[in-house]
């Protein structure tokens, strides 16, 4: 059980003012950033969260079956080695509770301001500060950290007649728990990650489930087993076992990533997915409808051992078509299919490439981040720094994730980089640092060239990995080990640094607390 207060009392806004750092968002990224900054001595900071409590995507997504799709041991902070999980792939409630407990353990509640929405942020060249306007006043911050994450803004289903549907309609990220699906005819629109988890979780109580699938997905089996208490007991008491387990699971994920980066190696993995489908679905027509016509890994790779068995149930119906309109209680497919439903659930995912604050974040020339990215889409140096936006750090930014990597592994590498950058600011007495345009351009050219031959780009499909310009703005084209090395050392020569006429006061580092990030001899996290 979490030790944090109830959401209504979790944090009280204090009303703006001068701070060293503002962190926007209180999910995995924001909580991790707050912990790391505080351990680096940046005590005067705030974490702004628009919702009533922390948790990010694990607070928002409460649909039945919601769970992690990478092993729990990888989907947890490295600096909390004693995390206990009840399953190999933890569910939403357990992950949310883990976040709340971790935040409480490291005192994040002291700097958390819930119910505060950022309205606008502008870099003030004269003062070397970010002026962050919020619903609770203006903060003037030396550093701005955006921790809003890519899975934030739901993608809405926009078809004629949906607004007039007489029954409940809601997105999986906005689940309406007042709606009882028992003995109801449920239409699920979308066949991605949330639908793959949702359909098996509701089919046993619904009278009928109609799944509208525009594009089939590759699925691998998911060994979602319960972790016996005896195993957790041993992991707690035998030194090194938990980290060894994590290293082994990391190795398996990296092996999968190798196949995705080199499509010629992906044959055995795709064959395993085909065998999984063949064994679970005996009906040749249904099996054809569920077989993708692109290479495995071109879209986000999904795992489930319950989705196919759910689809073969007599009251579950797959419709291989998009929804083109809604007429009364009838959903009409692009192929003319019409079905009657009592409830519509849109499992249509998120606007992954659209940073929530990009339209209200103004850099050195007054342009917004959205305007800066309008041509070729989101670009950043090491997915973290954007030229023209000094002292701004993006977490889980452009071209950092892939179909096999745990987002938390990427995040912790970024937090090491953030700490090293701020250590440089403090040591050299700089007021600001802004990545050089040529450095950012060269880095992104290399990323796009490396992506060209990966399955992400050459797999024969369209996906949320791509911006409308045709550039892949989501995926990292190399190994996670290379990403960690790239973020391990902060290169000051990549930045233009400015020194104020009167140096700003800087925080004094404190001794690392129990459970702090391990550091090497240069103070950079290993």
């Amino acid at each position: 059980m979490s030790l944090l207060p109830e959401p209504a009392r979790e944090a009280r806004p204090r009303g703006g003012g001068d701070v060293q750092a503002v962190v926007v968002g209180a999910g995995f990224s924001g909580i991790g950033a707050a912990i790391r900054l505080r351990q680096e001595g940046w005590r005067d900071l705030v974490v702004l969260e628009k919702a009533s409590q922390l948790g990010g995507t694990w607070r928002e997504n409460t649909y039945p079956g919601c769970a992690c799709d990478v092993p729990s041991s990888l989907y947890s902070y490295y600096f909390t080695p004693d995390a206990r999980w009840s399953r190999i792939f933890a569910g939403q409630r357990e992950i949310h509770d883990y976040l709340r407990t971790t935040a409480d353990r490291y005192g994040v509640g002291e700097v958390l301001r819930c119910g505060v929405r950022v309205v606008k942020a502008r870099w003030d060249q004269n003062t070397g500060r970010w002026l962050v306007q919020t619903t609770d006043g203006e903060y003037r911050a030396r550093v701005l950290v955006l921790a809003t994450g890519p899975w934030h803004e739901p993608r809405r289903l926009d078809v004629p007649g949906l607004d007039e549907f007489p029954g409940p309609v809601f997105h999986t990220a906005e689940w309406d728990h007042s709606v009882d699906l028992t003995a109801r005819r449920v239409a699920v629109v979308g066949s991605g990650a949330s639908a793959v988890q949702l359909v098996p979780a509701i089919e046993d109580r619904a009278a009928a489930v109609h799944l509208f699938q525009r594009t089939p997905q590759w699925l691998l089996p998911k060994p979602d087993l319960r972790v016996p208490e005896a195993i957790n007991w041993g992991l707690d008491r035998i030194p090194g076992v938990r980290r060894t387990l994590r290293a082994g699971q990391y190795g398996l994920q990296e092996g999968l990533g190798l196949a995705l980066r080199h499509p010629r190696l992906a044959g055995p993995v795709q064959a395993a997915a085909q065998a999984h489908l063949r064994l679970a679905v005996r009906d040749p027509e249904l099996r054809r409808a569920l077989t993708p016509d692109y290479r495995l890994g071109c879209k986000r790779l999904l795992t489930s051992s319950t989705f196919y068995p759910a689809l073969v149930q007599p009251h579950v119906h797959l419709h291989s078509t998009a929804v083109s309109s809604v007429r009364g209680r009838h959903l009409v497919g692009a192929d003319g299919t019409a079905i009657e439903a009592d409830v519509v659930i849109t499992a249509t995912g998120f606007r992954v490439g659209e940073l929530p604050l990009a339209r209200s974040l103004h850099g050195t020339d007054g342009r917004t981040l959205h305007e800066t990215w309008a041509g070729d889409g989101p670009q950043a140096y090491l997915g973290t720094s954007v030229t023209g936006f000094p002292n701004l750090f993006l977490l889980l930014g452009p071209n950092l994730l892939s179909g096999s990597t745990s987002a938390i592994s990427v995040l912790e590498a970024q937090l090491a980089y953030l700490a090293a950058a701020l250590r440089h600011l403090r040591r050299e007495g700089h007021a600001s640092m802004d990545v050089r345009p040529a450095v950012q351009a060269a880095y992104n050219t290399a990323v796009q060239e490396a992506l060209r031959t990966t399955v992400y780009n050459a797999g024969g499909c369209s996906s949320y990995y791509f911006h409308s310009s045709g550039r892949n703005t989501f995926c990292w084209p190399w190994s996670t080990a290379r990403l960690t090395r790239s973020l391990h050392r902060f290169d000051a020569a990549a930045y233009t640094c400015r020194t104020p006429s009167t140096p700003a006061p800087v925080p004094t580092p404190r001794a690392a607390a129990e459970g702090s990030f391990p550091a090497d001899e240069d103070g950079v996290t290993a």
Side-chain angles (χ1 to χ4, degrees):
M1 179 178 294
S2 171
L3 301 179
L4 284 178
E6 292 299 316
R9 297 183 290 110
E10 191 169 37
R12 296 293 184 186
R14 69 179 187 186
D18 293 312
V19 294
Q20 287 289 336
V22 165
V23 178
V24 183
F28 259 105
S29 297
I31 293 168
I35 293 171
R36 187 64 198 253
L37 286 171
R38 282 161 63 83
Q39 291 179 340
E40 287 291 319
W42 291 67
R43 308 294 292 175
D44 187 16
L45 64 98
V46 292
V47 179
L48 305 181
E49 171 54 58
K50 67 180 181 180
S52 62
Q53 60 173 311
L54 58 80
T57 191
W58 297 105
R59 176 196 63 238
E60 298 297 313
N61 287 271
T62 60
Y63 61 85
C66 182
C68 187
D69 56 7
V70 298
S72 307
S73 63
L74 293 180
Y75 206 80
S76 53
Y77 297 116
Y78 190 76
F79 59 90
T80 52
D82 56 348
R84 296 170 64 93
W85 300 104
S86 66
R87 307 190 68 85
I88 294 177
F89 297 87
Q92 174 269 333
R93 184 173 299 178
E94 189 171 4
I95 295 173
H96 190 199
D97 188 65
Y98 165 77
L99 282 171
R100 290 169 59 84
T101 303
T102 302
D104 180 66
R105 175 177 180 177
Y106 289 91
V108 175
E110 299 171 13
V111 296
L112 180 63
R113 307 286 177 260
C114 288
V116 178
R117 183 183 295 271
V118 174
V119 177
K120 179 180 178 181
R122 175 177 64 85
W123 175 254
D124 186 344
Q125 194 76 10
N126 295 325
T127 62
R129 293 290 188 273
W130 278 100
L131 307 182
V132 184
Q133 297 178 16
T134 77
T135 52
D136 192 55
E138 182 179 81
Y139 289 91
R140 294 170 293 279
R142 190 177 182 189
V143 170
L144 179 60
V145 180
L146 292 190
T148 51
W151 300 282
H152 180 83
E153 183 64 31
R155 184 179 294 279
R156 308 294 178 185
L157 178 64
D158 183 16
V159 296
L162 183 61
D163 291 343
E164 284 76 46
F165 183 78
V169 179
F170 49 89
H171 192 279
T172 51
E174 299 165 335
W175 192 266
D176 188 344
H177 289 274
S178 69
V179 177
D180 184 3
L181 301 182
T182 303
R184 309 289 289 276
R185 296 167 298 182
V186 182
V188 178
V189 183
S191 58
S194 56
V196 164
Q197 295 181 340
L198 170 66
V199 170
I202 65 172
E203 63 86 10
D204 61 340
R205 51 187 148 136
V209 176
H210 295 273
L211 177 66
F212 284 85
Q213 168 194 271
R214 288 195 308 174
T215 308
Q217 308 283 340
W218 285 112
L219 262 70
L220 288 173
K222 185 176 184 178
D224 186 19
L225 304 175
R226 180 167 294 279
V227 178
E229 185 58 31
I231 297 295
N232 269 320
W233 183 91
L235 292 174
D236 286 342
R237 287 162 177 77
I238 303 175
V241 173
R242 199 177 288 275
R243 289 192 176 184
T244 299
L245 174 63
R246 179 173 174 132
Q249 291 174 329
Y250 171 85
L252 291 174
Q253 295 292 123
E254 284 300 283
L256 178 58
L258 182 66
L260 298 183
R261 296 192 302 275
H262 303 281
R264 67 183 183 277
L265 302 178
V269 183
Q270 185 162 315
Q274 290 171 325
H276 177 46
L277 172 59
R278 188 167 55 251
L279 290 171
V281 179
R282 298 296 184 179
D283 180 353
E285 184 176 347
L286 178 58
R287 192 162 61 235
R288 276 195 299 271
L290 291 168
T291 302
D293 61 359
Y294 54 86
R295 291 182 181 177
L296 177 142
C298 183
K299 291 178 179 287
R300 177 181 175 181
L301 182 58
L302 306 180
T303 58
S304 175
S305 296
T306 57
F307 181 62
Y308 291 150
L311 289 184
V312 301
Q313 299 303 310
H315 65 296
V316 179
H317 310 280
L318 177 70
H319 307 285
S320 298
T321 181
V323 174
S324 61
S325 65
V326 178
R327 301 172 187 169
R329 286 193 176 275
H330 289 84
L331 278 71
V332 181
D335 64 354
T337 299
I339 63 97
E340 190 171 6
D342 302 309
V343 181
V344 176
I345 301 171
T346 59
T348 45
F350 299 87
R351 297 187 178 277
V352 172
E354 299 181 20
L355 191 71
L357 293 177
R359 295 178 184 272
S360 53
L361 196 68
H362 298 259
T364 54
D365 61 0
R367 290 196 305 165
T368 65
L369 190 58
H370 175 78
E371 292 168 335
T372 301
W373 284 347
D376 292 331
Q379 297 184 48
Y381 175 58
L382 293 173
T384 306
S385 302
V386 181
T387 186
F389 293 81
N391 292 14
L392 172 69
F393 297 91
L394 309 180
L395 297 180
L396 301 183
N399 291 112
L400 283 185
L401 299 172
S402 69
S404 63
T405 305
S406 165
I408 311 308
S409 299
V410 175
L411 170 64
E412 291 187 315
Q414 274 195 289
L415 294 179
Y417 187 83
L418 170 63
L422 297 186
R423 208 175 293 129
H424 177 81
L425 267 182
R426 182 171 56 211
R427 183 174 61 246
E428 301 299 325
H430 295 312
S432 66
M433 58 173 60
D434 190 2
V435 65
R436 298 178 186 274
V439 171
Q440 178 175 300
Y443 164 79
N444 280 279
T445 297
V447 167
Q448 293 302 317
E449 176 59 26
L451 280 168
R452 187 174 54 82
T453 57
T454 65
V455 73
Y456 312 124
N457 281 33
C461 73
S462 61
S463 71
Y464 65 66
Y465 297 159
F466 290 87
H467 182 258
S468 58
S469 65
R471 288 170 61 97
N472 184 329
T473 59
F474 185 86
C475 294
W476 172 259
W478 301 294
S479 68
T480 308
R482 177 165 174 171
L483 173 62
T484 301
R485 290 195 303 272
S486 298
L487 290 167
H488 184 70
R489 302 290 179 184
F490 173 73
D491 181 11
Y495 292 80
T496 299
C497 298
R498 301 186 184 279
T499 304
S501 54
T502 304
V506 295
T508 302
R510 67 181 177 88
E514 177 190 359
S516 63
F517 290 75
D520 64 13
E521 63 274 15
D522 294 322
V524 181
T525 296

